[in-house]
Amino acid sequence: MAVTAGSTAETVEAVFRIESARITAGVARIVRDVGIAEELAQDALVAALEQWPESGVPEKPGAWLMATARHRAIDLVRRRETYARKLAEVGRSLEDVPPPGPEDLGDPDDIDDDLLRLIFTACHPVLSREARAALTLRLLGGLTTDEIARAFLVSEPAVAQRVVRAKRTLAKAGVPFEVPGGADREARLSSVLEVIYLVFNEGYAATAGDDLCRPGLCEDALRLARVLANLMPGEPEVHGLLALLEFQASRIAARTGPGGEPVLLADQDRSRWNRMLILRGAEALLRAGRGPYSVQAAIAACHARAVRYEDTDWAAIAALYGRLLELTPSPVVELNRAVAVSMAEGPEAGLRLVDALAAEPVLRGYHLLPSVRGDLLARVGRDEEARAEFRRAASLTRNARERELLLARAAPSPSGPAPEG
Amino acid sequence: MPRFLTLIRIDEKNAPAEGPSPELQERMGALFEEITKAGVMLDTAGLTPTSEGTRVTWAGGKISCTDGPFTESKEVIGGYSIIQAKDKAEALEWTKRFLRTHEEYWTITAEVREIAEG
């Protein structure tokens, strides 16, 4: 047995990853700019990498980093003040944010509010969805631009630029570092939830590329949802989103076969569903509300509760999709409801609903429409038509793994089950 | 993001008889809250003494039961946690923070093991 202690550099990096969001948030409150705040946090990391190998890792490494970054932030604000004063002396005014007073420096231990402000700022609607996702993963998920690039299958420089531009946009728009109150609050919270949901989904149903699923991204999103639920325990829809993601994540291991091929919900080995995540989902669902994420979580719970596929309560799922349609009307939700109805009442009932959607322009090019229709046709014995639909679905999907599965079903053979993962 | 099971091993015979001090419980509570808020803690608990435990062994095709306390083991598991962290270095950092909440007269070994996924 060798006695090892990870190298100091490894320790410093681990400490920094744990603390970076909190430090960035605590510093952003002082400098009122998340871009500058992140740089100051990085500066503190560099200082630690220089000093700790000599001086040893401090007793409270997080507090050391925070204090270092805050000192630098206060210095910077003072320098700005001095600069503004000097400029004013030579008779020019400066459009600058008012320097923070001592009351703005806040209690270093009370960082939760700052973290929440950081989340709301990173998810501000002034930014594009891609920019929100990249910035949130960078500032709150602690991902490097390289990790984000790999997760979203884009180049590293593209992500770096996206992040830089997002910070600039926030600064230019003068987005205040705050959690909005009043009428604005709900819309802004939706924007935060949407970012986390989209990041999870990008990992869960990879829209392109060779892998069906990129679990790392799902876990990053799940962690963000867990953080948010702890920061906003009184928001039912936050718990709804958390419940939904815990349930979805519980199935990840069972969704791909040994060769990386997709395994349909009906065929999944349910003993591989993660019980701990299902329990966590059920716990979060108890605190959920009546909004769209909460309803989707309730649907996911129906699947999780079924020990065998045959035990699935499709009538309950169809009813929940009906409720979801009232909250967020969309052809995609209608398609899902059609699948549930076909399981509850028979394939003909489902087919009637799907055929009504065939003309829906939004679904043109959406591979799941022909995929579902093919499945229903196969179940009523219209095999030839079913295979044509599977061929069409295969030509529409951008995911290589899904295409293989669809082409296999387009070949003359007995048909499989519903297309939900 | 891997998950880690941390097994907290203590020497039951030499552990402080009065158990964790109120100050320790407070420090530990604050740390657990922090780990939970970071979205890292999935589950944690302390275990009752081995005098209340039983070992069930399968050997030679037979079941045998041994009631605690397990005096022949120098260290027994007194608690556990399951966390989800970016990597082992991060898991070790949280573990060190947990250990540092204890007074100097404690001797504890925390065994950090990655949970095999799939």
Side-chain angles (χ1 to χ4, degrees):
Chain A
M1 276 212 319
V3 174
T4 59
S7 71
T8 309
E10 225 176 42
T11 304
V12 176
E13 278 178 31
V15 170
F16 185 72
R17 262 212 313 275
I18 288 171
E19 304 292 343
S20 67
R22 291 153 57 95
I23 296 168
T24 304
V27 169
R29 184 216 297 238
I30 300 170
V31 297
R32 301 277 155 183
D33 180 303
V34 295
I36 295 171
E38 197 201 10
E39 279 171 33
L40 289 166
Q42 294 281 352
D43 286 351
L45 169 67
V46 172
L49 283 166
E50 285 167 354
Q51 293 176 39
W52 293 2
E54 299 284 318
S55 62
V57 179
E59 187 81 358
K60 292 193 167 164
W64 188 99
L65 285 168
M66 179 66 98
T68 305
R70 288 172 66 89
H71 281 150
R72 287 169 189 230
I74 293 165
D75 280 349
L76 182 74
V77 170
R78 288 204 182 114
R79 275 205 304 277
R80 269 194 207 157
E81 276 179 61
T82 315
Y83 176 66
R85 215 175 36 242
K86 289 238 166 23
L87 272 186
E89 282 166 14
V90 296
R92 280 161 59 187
S93 66
L94 228 200
E95 290 175 50
D96 204 352
V97 286
E103 73 283 356
D104 285 342
L105 298 184
D107 175 357
D109 297 331
D110 184 23
I111 209 76
D112 289 356
D113 295 349
D114 292 336
L115 264 181
L116 211 46
R117 291 185 184 107
L118 186 61
I119 294 177
F120 273 82
T121 306
C123 297
H124 196 282
V126 74
L127 304 170
S128 72
R129 282 193 180 139
E130 290 82 9
R132 279 181 239 167
L135 197 59
T136 303
L137 286 170
R138 178 96 191 87
L139 296 180
L140 291 135
L143 273 73
T144 62
T145 45
D146 182 47
E147 285 171 325
I148 299 169
R150 265 182 289 136
F152 285 97
L153 306 178
V154 284
S155 74
E156 203 262 341
V159 170
Q161 191 161 40
R162 206 175 276 175
V163 170
V164 168
R165 250 196 248 125
K167 290 176 188 165
R168 210 178 293 148
T169 305
L170 289 172
K172 231 192 254 159
V175 169
F177 188 65
E178 64 176 15
V179 176
D184 218 11
R185 186 182 162 95
E186 194 157 340
R188 291 285 305 280
L189 178 59
S190 299
S191 172
V192 171
L193 296 176
E194 183 192 46
V195 168
I196 297 175
Y197 180 72
L198 289 175
V199 169
F200 184 92
N201 254 342
E202 181 54 37
Y204 195 73
T207 46
D210 293 338
D211 294 326
L212 184 73
C213 180
R214 293 193 285 280
L217 206 47
C218 296
E219 285 160 354
D220 287 316
L222 191 47
R223 193 200 277 211
L224 287 171
R226 287 171 184 159
V227 169
L228 192 63
N230 278 297
L231 291 172
M232 304 186 97
E235 290 287 348
E237 207 46 12
V238 175
H239 295 291
L241 175 68
L242 177 61
L244 173 63
L245 302 192
E246 298 274 13
F247 283 130
Q248 301 282 67
S250 74
R251 302 207 290 261
I252 285 175
R255 288 174 77 237
T256 46
E261 71 282 6
V263 181
L264 300 172
L265 185 64
D267 302 334
Q268 284 172 19
D269 172 358
R270 297 185 174 217
S271 70
R272 295 183 65 207
W273 288 5
N274 186 312
R275 305 309 307 176
M276 178 188 262
L277 293 179
I278 289 175
L279 281 174
R280 292 178 61 89
E283 269 173 31
L285 190 60
L286 292 175
R287 308 173 72 182
R290 312 179 57 82
Y293 293 114
S294 299
V295 174
Q296 288 179 76
I299 293 168
C302 289
H303 289 301
R305 272 195 287 264
V307 178
R308 300 170 311 156
Y309 182 71
E310 299 73 40
D311 303 333
T312 310
D313 186 349
W314 289 106
I317 293 173
L320 285 164
Y321 271 121
R323 200 186 313 164
L324 190 59
L325 265 180
E326 289 165 21
L327 294 169
T328 55
S330 97
V332 174
V333 177
E334 291 202 42
L335 186 62
N336 279 315
R337 184 169 154 261
V339 173
V341 167
S342 81
M343 298 304 294
E345 301 169 21
E348 292 84 0
L351 208 46
R352 274 195 298 277
L353 292 171
V354 170
D355 287 346
L357 287 172
E360 188 62 59
V362 179
L363 292 180
R364 195 170 303 148
Y366 185 60
H367 69 280
L368 284 180
L369 178 63
S371 161
V372 167
R373 191 157 184 273
D375 191 67
L376 296 173
L377 288 166
R379 279 165 58 196
V380 295
R382 290 155 65 180
D383 290 355
E384 201 54 46
E385 291 169 84
R387 285 199 289 273
E389 290 284 14
F390 288 134
R391 271 195 299 278
R392 180 180 324 168
S395 71
L396 290 174
T397 182
R398 289 168 54 216
N399 185 291
R401 290 300 188 171
E402 249 172 8
R403 191 173 319 120
E404 283 166 26
L405 180 84
L406 288 162
L407 286 173
R409 297 195 67 192
S413 70
S415 61
E420 222 187 301
Chain B
M1 221 184 296
R3 292 184 301 147
F4 296 89
L5 170 68
T6 303
L7 300 164
I8 307 298
R9 296 180 184 276
I10 51 165
D11 178 351
E12 271 187 325
K13 291 190 287 294
N14 296 315
E18 68 285 358
S21 64
E23 296 81 11
L24 169 55
Q25 290 184 38
E26 198 174 310
R27 285 193 298 269
M28 222 187 278
L31 179 71
F32 286 170
E33 188 181 321
E34 188 187 333
I35 305 179
T36 305
K37 275 188 169 158
V40 169
M41 178 76 85
L42 297 179
D43 189 25
T44 185
L47 306 183
T48 58
T50 61
S51 55
E52 296 174 41
T54 301
R55 282 181 180 164
V56 185
T57 308
W58 172 252
K62 286 198 180 63
I63 292 270
S64 60
C65 295
T66 317
D67 285 339
F70 307 130
T71 43
E72 74 288 359
S73 319
K74 188 172 171 347
E75 286 184 323
V76 295
I77 295 169
Y80 73 92
S81 77
I82 297 176
I83 66 169
Q84 187 152 25
K86 285 255 174 196
D87 55 21
K88 193 173 166 193
E90 198 179 302
L92 291 179
E93 175 58 30
W94 286 115
T95 305
K96 289 175 193 165
R97 291 186 188 189
F98 166 76
L99 293 174
R100 281 198 198 102
T101 60
H102 293 72
E103 291 90 352
E104 281 180 21
Y105 52 77
W106 286 85
T107 301
I108 313 169
T109 305
E111 184 179 320
V112 181
R113 305 280 302 274
E114 184 171 340
I115 294 173
E117 301 288 354

